[in-house]
Amino acid sequence: MSIGLFCPKCGSILAPKEGPRSVKMTCTKCNFISKDKEDIKIQEKGEKVKKIEILDKDPMTTYPKTDEECAKCSNRKAYFWTVQTRAGDEAETRFFECTKCKHRWREYC
Ligand SMILES: [Zn+2]
Ligand SMILES: [Zn+2]
């Protein structure tokens, strides 16, 4: 018998009980249930954070590249995208991001 299989409440031997997501240790005497449910929640949170990080990076890599020169590091490759600042008659503004140092700037028309 390994350590940790005794109920912290009444000292009875805990029995493994299979749940829908994991095996929990339960006390047959006082119905104490071990807290591995919380561990599962933490793991799920970690996975969500990772997914968000990947999503944040992906749009930038899909932007087209252009031969615009970076004012900071003189790198001659930059991603670019256009943003319509106001709906209607105003022209689009071009934004650039240096592929090397991530410096961002905009092109004024
Ligand atoms: Zn107990
Ligand atoms: Zn640069």
Side-chain angles (χ1 to χ4, degrees):
M1 196 76 64
S2 59
I3 307 156
L5 291 175
F6 292 95
C7 176
K9 276 188 174 174
C10 69
S12 295
I13 294 163
L14 296 177
K17 193 182 177 184
E18 270 191 58
R21 312 192 72 168
S22 67
V23 177
K24 278 173 226 149
M25 299 307 289
T26 57
C27 177
T28 50
K29 215 172 175 184
C30 72
N31 289 323
F32 166 82
I33 300 164
S34 68
K35 282 184 178 176
D36 54 359
K37 241 187 172 180
E38 282 179 17
D39 291 339
I40 292 164
K41 270 188 187 172
I42 290 161
Q43 278 177 3
E44 281 178 349
K45 264 190 185 175
E47 276 175 27
K48 273 183 187 171
V49 168
K50 266 186 189 173
K51 276 177 188 169
I52 289 162
E53 276 175 6
I54 291 162
L55 280 173
D56 278 345
K57 277 183 180 176
D58 270 345
M60 190 49 71
T61 56
T62 58
Y63 282 142
K65 284 177 196 173
T66 184
D67 296 333
E68 213 51 46
E69 191 179 326
C70 172
K72 269 194 169 178
C73 71
S74 299
N75 178 38
R76 283 173 179 277
K77 280 270 178 273
Y79 300 113
F80 77 96
W81 64 97
T82 53
V83 175
Q84 191 103 41
T85 45
R86 271 184 229 168
D89 50 351
E90 236 177 73
E92 289 178 328
T93 309
R94 268 185 142 194
F95 283 88
F96 299 96
E97 188 187 279
C98 174
T99 58
K100 216 171 165 186
C101 72
K102 306 289 175 200
H103 171 60
R104 282 189 184 187
W105 69 98
R106 55 185 284 182
E107 184 185 70
Y108 297 96
C109 299

